[in-house]
PDB file of all heavy atoms in Angstrom:
ATOM      1  N   ASN A 314      -1.799  46.762  -3.089  1.00 96.00           N
ATOM      2  CA  ASN A 314      -2.748  45.638  -2.746  1.00 96.00           C
ATOM      3  C   ASN A 314      -1.882  44.362  -2.402  1.00 96.00           C
ATOM      4  O   ASN A 314      -1.273  43.872  -3.341  1.00 96.00           O
ATOM      5  CB  ASN A 314      -3.670  45.394  -3.915  1.00 96.00           C
ATOM      6  CG  ASN A 314      -4.833  44.430  -3.535  1.00 96.00           C
ATOM      7  OD1 ASN A 314      -4.834  43.757  -2.549  1.00 96.00           O
ATOM      8  ND2 ASN A 314      -5.852  44.307  -4.348  1.00 96.00           N
ATOM      9  N   TYR A 315      -1.848  43.932  -1.156  1.00 97.00           N
ATOM     10  CA  TYR A 315      -1.158  42.770  -0.774  1.00 97.00           C
ATOM     11  C   TYR A 315      -2.117  41.748  -0.148  1.00 97.00           C
ATOM     12  O   TYR A 315      -2.975  42.109   0.650  1.00 97.00           O
ATOM     13  CB  TYR A 315      -0.074  43.111   0.204  1.00 97.00           C
ATOM     14  CG  TYR A 315       0.814  44.164  -0.221  1.00 97.00           C
ATOM     15  CD1 TYR A 315       0.694  45.556   0.281  1.00 97.00           C
ATOM     16  CD2 TYR A 315       1.851  43.940  -1.169  1.00 97.00           C
ATOM     17  CE1 TYR A 315       1.498  46.537  -0.144  1.00 97.00           C
ATOM     18  CE2 TYR A 315       2.663  44.988  -1.583  1.00 97.00           C
ATOM     19  CZ  TYR A 315       2.512  46.229  -1.099  1.00 97.00           C
ATOM     20  OH  TYR A 315       3.311  47.252  -1.540  1.00 97.00           O
ATOM     21  N   ARG A 316      -1.943  40.465  -0.581  1.00 98.00           N
ATOM     22  CA  ARG A 316      -2.857  39.408  -0.057  1.00 98.00           C
ATOM     23  C   ARG A 316      -1.993  38.055   0.069  1.00 98.00           C
ATOM     24  O   ARG A 316      -1.163  37.809  -0.801  1.00 98.00           O
ATOM     25  CB  ARG A 316      -3.964  39.332  -1.082  1.00 98.00           C
ATOM     26  CG  ARG A 316      -5.036  38.156  -0.595  1.00 98.00           C
ATOM     27  CD  ARG A 316      -6.120  38.163  -1.717  1.00 98.00           C
ATOM     28  NE  ARG A 316      -7.038  37.028  -1.465  1.00 98.00           N
ATOM     29  CZ  ARG A 316      -8.144  37.018  -0.709  1.00 98.00           C
ATOM     30  NH1 ARG A 316      -8.393  38.202  -0.050  1.00 98.00           N
ATOM     31  NH2 ARG A 316      -8.817  35.969  -0.672  1.00 98.00           N
ATOM     32  N   TYR A 339      -4.813  36.928   4.899  1.00 98.00           N
ATOM     33  CA  TYR A 339      -4.503  38.366   5.259  1.00 98.00           C
ATOM     34  C   TYR A 339      -4.541  39.158   4.078  1.00 98.00           C
ATOM     35  O   TYR A 339      -3.931  38.808   3.017  1.00 98.00           O
ATOM     36  CB  TYR A 339      -3.116  38.306   5.977  1.00 98.00           C
ATOM     37  CG  TYR A 339      -2.749  39.766   6.314  1.00 98.00           C
ATOM     38  CD1 TYR A 339      -3.163  40.439   7.361  1.00 98.00           C
ATOM     39  CD2 TYR A 339      -1.785  40.463   5.433  1.00 98.00           C
ATOM     40  CE1 TYR A 339      -2.837  41.700   7.682  1.00 98.00           C
ATOM     41  CE2 TYR A 339      -1.411  41.747   5.746  1.00 98.00           C
ATOM     42  CZ  TYR A 339      -1.928  42.334   6.923  1.00 98.00           C
ATOM     43  OH  TYR A 339      -1.546  43.649   7.140  1.00 98.00           O
ATOM     44  N   GLN A 340      -5.123  40.415   4.173  1.00 97.00           N
ATOM     45  CA  GLN A 340      -5.174  41.350   3.012  1.00 97.00           C
ATOM     46  C   GLN A 340      -4.972  42.712   3.449  1.00 97.00           C
ATOM     47  O   GLN A 340      -5.601  43.077   4.508  1.00 97.00           O
ATOM     48  CB  GLN A 340      -6.348  41.148   2.154  1.00 97.00           C
ATOM     49  CG  GLN A 340      -6.458  42.127   0.983  1.00 97.00           C
ATOM     50  CD  GLN A 340      -7.570  41.758  -0.004  1.00 97.00           C
ATOM     51  OE1 GLN A 340      -7.725  40.614  -0.231  1.00 97.00           O
ATOM     52  NE2 GLN A 340      -8.216  42.737  -0.509  1.00 97.00           N
ATOM     53  N   ASP A 341      -4.176  43.517   2.768  1.00 97.00           N
ATOM     54  CA  ASP A 341      -3.977  44.934   3.085  1.00 97.00           C
ATOM     55  C   ASP A 341      -3.986  45.606   1.789  1.00 97.00           C
ATOM     56  O   ASP A 341      -3.211  45.256   0.916  1.00 97.00           O
ATOM     57  CB  ASP A 341      -2.696  45.191   3.847  1.00 97.00           C
ATOM     58  CG  ASP A 341      -2.554  46.577   4.346  1.00 97.00           C
ATOM     59  OD1 ASP A 341      -3.166  46.938   5.433  1.00 97.00           O
ATOM     60  OD2 ASP A 341      -1.962  47.419   3.586  1.00 97.00           O
ATOM     61  N   ASN A 342      -4.956  46.524   1.633  1.00 96.00           N
ATOM     62  CA  ASN A 342      -5.044  47.216   0.305  1.00 96.00           C
ATOM     63  C   ASN A 342      -5.521  48.626   0.424  1.00 96.00           C
ATOM     64  O   ASN A 342      -6.214  49.007   1.303  1.00 96.00           O
ATOM     65  CB  ASN A 342      -6.030  46.405  -0.644  1.00 96.00           C
ATOM     66  CG  ASN A 342      -7.442  46.453  -0.122  1.00 96.00           C
ATOM     67  OD1 ASN A 342      -7.793  45.663   0.746  1.00 96.00           O
ATOM     68  ND2 ASN A 342      -8.338  47.362  -0.637  1.00 96.00           N
ATOM     69  N   SER A 351      -8.030  49.512   3.408  1.00 96.00           N
ATOM     70  CA  SER A 351      -8.665  48.340   4.254  1.00 96.00           C
ATOM     71  C   SER A 351      -7.643  47.320   4.623  1.00 96.00           C
ATOM     72  O   SER A 351      -6.715  47.073   3.830  1.00 96.00           O
ATOM     73  CB  SER A 351      -9.804  47.744   3.362  1.00 96.00           C
ATOM     74  OG  SER A 351     -10.552  46.811   4.137  1.00 96.00           O
ATOM     75  N   ASN A 352      -7.944  46.718   5.738  1.00 96.00           N
ATOM     76  CA  ASN A 352      -7.109  45.637   6.189  1.00 96.00           C
ATOM     77  C   ASN A 352      -7.925  44.580   6.846  1.00 96.00           C
ATOM     78  O   ASN A 352      -8.807  44.803   7.607  1.00 96.00           O
ATOM     79  CB  ASN A 352      -6.113  46.211   7.321  1.00 96.00           C
ATOM     80  CG  ASN A 352      -5.206  45.140   7.901  1.00 96.00           C
ATOM     81  OD1 ASN A 352      -5.593  44.376   8.742  1.00 96.00           O
ATOM     82  ND2 ASN A 352      -3.981  45.182   7.445  1.00 96.00           N
ATOM     83  N   LYS A 353      -7.685  43.307   6.403  1.00 96.00           N
ATOM     84  CA  LYS A 353      -8.555  42.184   6.747  1.00 96.00           C
ATOM     85  C   LYS A 353      -7.784  40.988   7.141  1.00 96.00           C
ATOM     86  O   LYS A 353      -6.695  40.656   6.541  1.00 96.00           O
ATOM     87  CB  LYS A 353      -9.477  41.803   5.612  1.00 96.00           C
ATOM     88  CG  LYS A 353     -10.377  40.652   5.758  1.00 96.00           C
ATOM     89  CD  LYS A 353     -11.373  40.532   4.694  1.00 96.00           C
ATOM     90  CE  LYS A 353     -10.749  40.533   3.273  1.00 96.00           C
ATOM     91  NZ  LYS A 353     -11.787  40.420   2.251  1.00 96.00           N
TER      92      LYS A 353
END
Side-chain angles (χ1 to χ4, degrees):
N314 189 348
Y315 305 103
R316 181 176 171 90
Y339 175 80
Q340 180 167 320
D341 188 83
N342 65 278
S351 186
N352 180 280
K353 175 171 56 180

